[in-house]
Amino acid sequence: MFPEKLLKQIDFIKEIDKIKYIQRKTKLFNSDRNENDAEHSWHLAVMAIVLAEHSNEAIDVLKVVKMVLIHDIVEIDAGDIFIYDTQKSHDNTDEERLAANRIFGLLPEEQAQDFIKIWEEFEAGETNEAKFAKSMDRLEPLLQNTSNNGGTWKEFDVKYDKVYEKKSVIKEGSKHIWDYAEKLIDESVEKGILNK
């Protein structure tokens, strides 16, 4: 009655609705409500479109948008790992690989492989598009924490060195945005919302 391909795509669309329930540690701008993964991904996609001209290198903006929209879908199974977590690495994990295979595997084979390839490219962070996508992923929580008087930095006693280390990835995608981010980090120390 309906093409099998369409039914698989609909099943995938239903499954990824679960991303709306994955709560992040970071709170919305000027808010005490935690952001969810769907809000985060949407925000990064718009940021990528708006800020693309500041990329260090020429990029395929649509590819960056795809990366930021799907990069956290694996968290439906693997959960969100706080970037400053001291117990578990924020880097790609075996759980995320299993999640990518299961969730993207709901799609027709060709689409599944395309999504996995884009997800892997983002995780590796080596292409111009992945570097810029990661810049967006690191910039958004920085902007949120500065709008929330330190936000998760204060809540989890995250120090300047750790913030600087994690956020310095931004410069790989955009030196201009990194200059802005570095200024925000330094101002956060001056304001007392980020401790050395």
Side-chain angles (χ1 to χ4, degrees), residues 145-161:
N145 280 332
T146 57
S147 81
N148 286 315
N149 295 314
T152 55
W153 301 333
K154 281 196 164 186
E155 186 178 349
F156 298 98
D157 194 31
V158 180
K159 303 292 188 217
Y160 168 88
D161 289 343

Side-chain angles (χ1 to χ4, degrees), residues 142 146 153 160 163-165 167-168 170 178 180-190 193-194:
L142 171 63
T146 57
W153 301 333
Y160 168 88
V163 171
Y164 195 91
E165 172 198 338
K167 299 305 177 184
S168 65
I170 293 171
W178 169 243
Y180 178 78
E182 190 175 29
K183 182 176 182 288
L184 282 181
I185 294 168
D186 291 342
E187 286 176 352
S188 295
V189 172
E190 291 167 17
I193 63 173
L194 177 61

Side-chain angles (χ1 to χ4, degrees), residues 81 88-94 96 123 134 138 166:
I81 300 171
K88 192 167 185 177
S89 171
H90 185 263
D91 294 330
N92 191 17
T93 64
D94 292 339
E96 288 177 332
E123 291 296 321
K134 283 187 173 285
R138 298 294 168 91
K166 295 293 186 182

